[in-house]
């Protein structure tokens, strides 16, 4: 059997991390077993589905790198197919027209509640032989009345549903449009989906969908219902926990590989390993290893993983996102080579690329002011005189490299009977305006000889005024 999985988001909102985790598990399973990954847009909710949401799904999937082999397929473009299957089911007697009015259904439910019964459709139109002239109707699936349906769920194990507890589901509305559960069944059948991997909030839909597939003489796929992702407080995941658009994580400076690494660990594990490359996930992931317990979202853990991926990545990998974040701050880099040096200097000091960009603006803009507290602590007339003399020596330094700069400053400090630290902090203040930066030799090397000496000279003039 060739594995065929599908990710089928509804474009009624943004693609958030719960959806991305589902897509990731579907994608990994298909890739692991040399199968096919299908992208399907379930846009039958015409009132709530938007083109903007569809584009956001496509952009989000592209950013995280979960490429699809087939699709995207849109349910609104398949209405003729759904209509044909509905007519076939009506002809074969596996579906029927229901003429019950809203008032009649409400009276039925009220009576059931009064008797202490669970409100459900009682099948009164199931064997109806005549139809009221011109009366509106819905189409219902004729669910089996007895026996049971067993969902052999890969995650939860066997889940048994009594057919007698499943009422006859509406599969087409009175305006003729098909309903969600019916469209899903036809799509999974037509697209030959072998494994349905989705959130466990869909588990209660599964027995009805399986019964419809059996009625259509189509073998049901293998089902795997994923545990929920909860907030750190145990409540349902919401915006305040991190259930925001996946593209917001991009805008906050997270790497897609770090986000996927974090999401794969929500419900799945491989020993005690925490950090996974995309290739390692592809080699190790199997849906049978997913546990059934809900997972808690932890933003701090995600930030830690992001920093680990930043530190492990080739500097060139970080250049483009760093360039984008710098542009948001009104900064344009001189060259990719310069950005690679900044990445090497800053990657252990930033949990996100957005933070790295904010910490690196001084490389491109001379300080407009200096940290007053740090100046009072580290700068005096003697230091200013030493910096001027040091600048004279550095002006002839060649090559202008971190190693050469370190040796030159260190030799000058020894000659002047000063500690390296006593000189390094005033230099840092002069070139950055603050008291925090990468090592001063690396900082000066990245700035370049002309810019570094100009900033030292400007600071000395300011401090002497």
């Amino acid at each position: 059997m060739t594995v065929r999985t599908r990710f089928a988001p509804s474009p009624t909102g943004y693609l958030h991390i719960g959806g991305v985790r589902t897509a990731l598990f579907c994608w990994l399973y298909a890739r692991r077993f040399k199968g096919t990954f299908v992208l399907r847009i379930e846009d039958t909710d015409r009132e709530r589905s938007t083109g903007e949401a569809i584009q956001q799904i496509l952009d989000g999937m592209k950013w995280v790198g979960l490429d699809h082999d087939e699709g995207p397929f849109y349910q609104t473009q398949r209405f003729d197919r759904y209509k044909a299957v509905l007519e076939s089911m009506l002809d074969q007697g596996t579906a029927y027209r229901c003429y019950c009015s809203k008032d009649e259904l409400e009276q039925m439910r009220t009576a059931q509640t009064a008797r202490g019964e669970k409100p459900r459709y009682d099948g009164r139109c199931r064997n109806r032989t005549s139809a009221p002239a011109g009366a509106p109707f819905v189409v219902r699936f004729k669910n089996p009345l007895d026996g049971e349906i067993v969902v052999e769920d890969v995650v939860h194990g066997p889940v048994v549903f009594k057919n007698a507890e499943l009422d006859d589901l509406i599969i087409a509305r009175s305006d003729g449009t098909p309903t969600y559960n019916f469209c899903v069944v036809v799509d999974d059948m037509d697209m030959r989906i072998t494994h349905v991997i989705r959130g466990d909030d869909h588990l209660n839909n599964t027995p009805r969908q399986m019964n419809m597939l059996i009625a259509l003489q189509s073998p049901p796929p293998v089902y795997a219902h994923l545990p929920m992702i909860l907030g750190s407080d145990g409540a349902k995941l919401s915006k305040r926990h991190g259930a925001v658009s996946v593209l917001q994580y991009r805008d906050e400076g997270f790497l897609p590989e770090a986000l996927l690494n974090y999401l794969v660990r929500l419900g799945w594990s491989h020993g005690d390993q925490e950090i996974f490359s995309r290739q390692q996930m592809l080699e190790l992931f199997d849906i049978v290893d997913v546990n059934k317990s809900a997972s808690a979202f932890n933003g701090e853990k995600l930030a830690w993983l992001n920093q680990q991926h930043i530190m492990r990545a080739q500097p060139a990998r970080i250049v483009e996102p760093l360039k984008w974040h710098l542009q948001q701050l009104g900064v344009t880099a001189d060259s990719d080579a310069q950005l690679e040096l900044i990445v090497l200097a800053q990657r252990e000091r930033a949990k996100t690329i957005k933070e790295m960009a904010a910490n690196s603006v001084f490389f491109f803009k001379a300080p407009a002011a200096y940290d007053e507290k740090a100046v009072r602590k580290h700068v005096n007339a003697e230091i200013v005189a030493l910096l001027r003399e040091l600048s004279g020596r550095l002006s002839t330094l060649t090559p202008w490299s971190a190693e050469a700069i370190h040796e030159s400053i260190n030799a000058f400090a020894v000659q002047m009977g000063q500690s390296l630290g006593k000189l390094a902090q005033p230099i840092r203040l002069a070139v950055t305006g603050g008291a925090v930066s990468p090592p001063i030799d690396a900082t000066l090397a990245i700035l370049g000889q002309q810019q570094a000496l100009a900033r030292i000279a400007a600071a000395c003039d300011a401090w002497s005024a």
Side-chain angles (χ1 to χ4, degrees):
M1 177 178 63
T2 300
V3 169
R4 291 177 63 85
T5 66
R6 48 77 159 177
F7 176 53
S10 174
T12 55
Y14 46 69
L15 176 63
H16 58 73
I17 58 173
V20 175
R21 186 189 64 164
T22 298
L24 172 63
F25 283 14
C26 293
W27 182 85
L28 285 172
Y29 194 75
R31 293 287 176 267
R32 168 82 185 275
F33 294 100
K34 313 298 182 187
T36 301
F37 177 54
V38 178
L39 177 61
R40 187 168 79 215
I41 306 297
E42 297 187 339
D43 57 346
T44 52
D45 188 342
R46 290 177 166 180
E47 291 185 3
R48 298 174 60 212
S49 297
T50 66
E52 181 183 0
I54 291 173
Q55 190 59 52
Q56 198 271 349
I57 289 170
L58 299 177
D59 291 345
M61 292 289 284
K62 182 178 180 180
W63 178 65
V64 294
L66 300 181
D67 55 316
H68 52 275
D69 303 300
E70 296 180 10
F73 298 109
Y74 297 87
Q75 288 184 330
T76 50
Q77 297 175 6
R78 289 174 46 80
F79 276 8
D80 288 346
R81 171 60 178 160
Y82 303 140
K83 182 179 180 181
V85 176
L86 278 168
E87 292 298 329
S88 173
M89 293 178 71
L90 287 168
D91 291 343
Q92 294 172 11
T94 57
Y96 62 94
R97 294 176 178 86
C98 173
Y99 296 90
C100 295
S101 66
K102 289 184 178 180
D103 288 342
E104 186 176 357
L105 292 173
E106 186 60 37
Q107 292 172 9
M108 177 191 69
R109 295 189 186 99
T110 300
Q112 289 171 334
T113 301
R115 295 193 299 267
E117 300 173 1
K118 179 181 178 181
R120 57 195 296 275
Y121 183 67
D122 62 7
R124 60 184 61 186
C125 285
R126 188 179 177 103
N127 298 308
R128 192 166 190 161
T129 56
S130 61
F137 63 86
V138 297
V139 178
R140 292 183 182 270
F141 170 62
K142 189 179 286 186
N143 195 77
L145 296 175
D146 52 22
E148 59 188 28
I149 187 79
V150 181
V151 181
E152 297 288 352
D153 194 88
V154 174
V155 176
H156 294 271
V159 185
V160 180
F161 294 87
K162 300 290 186 182
N163 280 320
E165 297 178 359
L166 305 174
D167 57 1
D168 291 349
L169 188 71
I170 294 175
I171 58 177
R173 304 177 184 88
S174 57
D175 63 0
T177 59
T179 61
Y180 164 78
N181 276 291
F182 176 70
C183 295
V184 167
V185 165
V186 177
D187 291 343
D188 286 344
M189 176 179 68
D190 288 354
M191 297 172 191
R192 309 184 312 283
I193 301 302
T194 63
H195 293 74
V196 170
I197 301 170
R198 58 189 179 186
D200 59 11
D201 54 325
H202 288 280
L203 181 56
N204 286 333
N205 292 327
T206 304
R208 292 183 174 90
Q209 293 175 5
M210 289 178 66
N211 278 335
M212 278 190 274
L213 285 165
I214 293 169
L216 291 166
Q217 299 182 349
S218 178
V222 175
Y223 290 94
H225 290 90
L226 308 176
M228 291 181 65
I229 302 176
L230 303 176
S232 55
D233 56 2
K236 183 178 179 181
L237 196 66
S238 64
K239 287 183 178 181
R240 65 188 176 87
H241 297 116
V244 295
S245 164
V246 65
L247 294 177
Q248 187 168 329
Y249 285 95
R250 176 198 64 186
D251 296 347
E252 291 299 318
F254 288 88
L255 292 174
E257 49 265 46
L259 182 62
L260 294 182
N261 182 168
Y262 180 71
L263 292 177
V264 82
R265 289 285 288 108
L266 293 180
W268 176 84
S269 62
H270 180 72
D272 296 328
Q273 186 172 340
E274 291 287 354
I275 302 171
F276 294 87
S277 66
R278 185 180 295 251
Q279 186 59 39
Q280 287 173 320
M281 287 190 285
L282 284 168
E283 292 171 357
L284 298 171
F285 180 82
D286 195 328
I287 196 67
V288 300
D289 297 324
V290 173
N291 64 61
K292 64 180 69 175
S293 301
S295 302
F297 182 82
N298 186 323
E300 292 182 2
K301 178 72 172 292
L302 172 58
W304 176 81
L305 269 175
N306 196 58
Q307 185 173 34
Q308 297 304 309
H309 278 271
I310 289 173
M311 291 192 296
R312 286 165 169 75
Q314 292 295 321
R317 163 68 184 93
I318 310 300
V319 163
E320 285 305 315
L322 177 58
K323 189 183 299 184
W324 185 87
H325 281 283
L326 285 169
Q327 288 172 350
Q328 308 313 301
L329 298 172
V331 171
T332 302
D334 294 334
S335 67
D336 287 358
Q338 182 189 31
L339 288 176
E340 288 191 32
L341 292 174
I342 291 174
V343 171
L344 287 170
Q346 297 279 44
R347 61 186 179 184
E348 294 185 4
R349 295 172 172 80
K351 291 184 178 179
T352 67
I353 300 174
K354 183 177 182 179
E355 183 183 1
M356 181 184 290
N359 293 343
S360 301
V361 170
F362 73 84
F363 283 115
F364 308 94
K365 294 182 178 180
Y370 305 95
D371 184 322
E372 293 182 4
K373 183 178 179 180
V375 170
R376 288 195 299 270
K377 181 177 180 180
H378 298 289
V379 178
N380 54 41
E382 179 187 8
I383 288 296
V384 170
L386 288 171
L387 290 188
R388 290 190 189 279
E389 186 172 348
L390 174 61
S391 292
R393 297 196 182 189
L394 292 176
S395 66
T396 61
L397 182 63
T398 183
W400 185 259
S401 65
E403 294 80 4
I405 293 168
H406 179 82
E407 291 178 6
S408 182
I409 296 176
N410 192 54
F412 179 77
V414 170
Q415 180 183 343
M416 297 300 172
Q418 302 286 343
S419 68
L420 184 60
K422 192 171 183 179
L423 287 175
Q425 199 65 346
I427 297 172
R428 180 173 287 108
L429 276 168
V431 298
T432 72
V436 179
S437 81
I440 196 60
D441 48 6
T443 299
L444 295 180
I446 294 170
L447 279 171
Q449 191 170 27
Q450 182 178 353
Q451 182 64 223
L453 296 178
R455 291 190 186 187
I456 293 173
C460 288
D461 290 345
W463 295 334
S464 300

